[in-house]
């Protein structure tokens, strides 16, 4: 006679981090630190190999160097984002210019660290992204409406009749924060801090660029938005 044993001693699956970077010393440093933190790591030295690993291995997070031997990192980022709308992408950049960071965020990246960075900082950024994801999952069943759209947070989609549009992780987070504060003005600085965890200059255009993307999806007339309103000099306000 057998008894059912429900007990399992399975370890929780390790989070997978894909590193697309061609400098061996940097790869080694990142790999050692991330493996020590309990992540599973794979590294690729070109954009093409990186893109193919991203498809085959399904990482939980991608670290992407901007200066790759075969391709421009921004283009790799865009391709990655077209194929997977939700995987977090952190750009590793030697370029400290604000415009470069914004260009990276525009290409679909979620965050960036500027070289030379400390691995501690990098790990903090990665963990912050996973914490935000976990927080989002804990409100998984949440749906809400904006205009005639129904937003399903768990499925990352917005629905209207038979139209169905995907929302990326950060687009959804921005919408959720605006919605929590419906009819109130939320400043760019607050959005940056609460959604991205970045303490940045409130003049940064990062938030504005995401608002443009959201309006493109949500508003019937992007030039005359009815739901995501600009409060000049202050920030944004959601009118659901
Ligand atoms: Ca490089």
């Amino acid at each position: 006679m057998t008894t059912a044993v429900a007990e399992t001693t399975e370890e929780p699956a390790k989070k997978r981090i894909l590193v697309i970077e061609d400098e061996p010393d940097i790869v080694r440093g990142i790999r050692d630190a991330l493996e020590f933190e309990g992540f599973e790591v794979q590294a690729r030295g070109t954009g093409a190999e990186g893109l193919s690993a991203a498809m085959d291995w399904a990482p939980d997070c991608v670290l992407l160097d901007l200066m790759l031997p075969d391709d421009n990192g921004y283009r790799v980022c865009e391709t990655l984002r077209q194929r997977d709308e939700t995987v977090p992408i952190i750009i590793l950049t030697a370029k400290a210019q604000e415009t470069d960071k914004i260009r990276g965020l525009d290409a679909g990246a979620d965050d960036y660290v500027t070289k030379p960075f400390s691995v501690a900082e990098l790990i903090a950024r990665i963990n912050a992204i996973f914490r935000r994801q976990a927080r989002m999952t804990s409100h998984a069943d949440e749906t809400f409406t904006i205009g005639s759209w129904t937003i399903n947070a768990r499925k990352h989609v917005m629905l209207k009749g038979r139209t169905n549009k995907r929302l990326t992780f950060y687009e959804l987070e921005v919408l959720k924060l605006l919605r929590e504060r419906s009819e109130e003005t939320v400043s760019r600085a607050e959005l940056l801090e609460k959604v991205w965890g970045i303490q940045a200059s409130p003049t940064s255009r990062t938030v504005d660029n995401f608002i443009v993307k959201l309006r493109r999806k949500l508003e019937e007339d992007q030039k005359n938005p009815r739901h995501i309103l600009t409060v000049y000099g202050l920030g944004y306000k959601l009118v659901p």
Side-chain angles (χ1 to χ4, degrees), residues 20-23 26 45 65-69 92 115:
I20 308 176
E21 162 70 82
D22 61 314
E23 287 157 70
I26 295 183
D65 178 33
L66 282 184
M67 311 279 255
L68 292 164
L92 312 174
K115 292 178 187 175

Side-chain angles (χ1 to χ4, degrees), residues 25-172:
D25 288 347
I26 295 183
V27 172
R28 197 172 310 124
I30 292 176
R31 183 193 285 279
D32 288 351
L34 291 182
E35 286 179 349
F36 184 77
E37 288 293 312
F39 295 114
E40 201 177 329
V41 179
Q42 284 205 13
R44 296 292 185 276
T46 65
E49 289 170 336
L51 284 169
S52 124
M55 294 304 107
D56 297 341
W57 192 50
D60 296 297
C61 181
V62 177
L63 310 182
L64 173 65
D65 178 33
L66 282 184
M67 311 279 255
L68 292 164
D70 64 325
D71 204 351
N72 170 325
Y74 297 115
R75 215 157 37 220
V76 175
C77 187
E78 278 169 1
T79 308
L80 202 56
R81 185 50 81 222
Q82 280 160 15
R83 296 182 187 175
D84 184 332
E85 292 193 329
T86 57
V87 65
I89 303 170
I90 300 178
I91 281 181
L92 312 174
T93 173
K95 304 176 173 181
Q97 295 291 320
E98 185 75 357
T99 50
D100 293 315
K101 294 172 184 171
I102 288 166
R103 194 175 160 203
L105 294 169
D106 273 348
D110 300 295
D111 206 349
Y112 50 81
V113 290
T114 306
K115 292 178 187 175
F117 53 84
S118 72
V119 285
E121 182 193 355
L122 179 63
I123 288 166
R125 298 294 180 109
I126 294 169
N127 283 329
I129 281 180
F130 288 147
R131 267 200 309 279
R132 287 195 291 271
Q133 275 183 333
R135 197 180 64 210
M136 193 191 70
T137 314
S138 69
H139 302 289
D141 289 331
E142 201 177 358
T143 64
F144 53 93
T145 59
I146 296 174
S148 43
W149 290 99
T150 299
I151 318 294
N152 183 319
R154 185 170 58 82
K155 294 184 176 166
H156 283 258
V157 290
M158 43 190 284
L159 305 152
K160 178 163 75 174
R162 289 184 185 164
T163 312
N164 169 336
K165 295 183 188 177
R166 297 276 302 162
L167 287 165
T168 65
F169 177 76
Y170 281 91
E171 287 169 354
L172 184 59

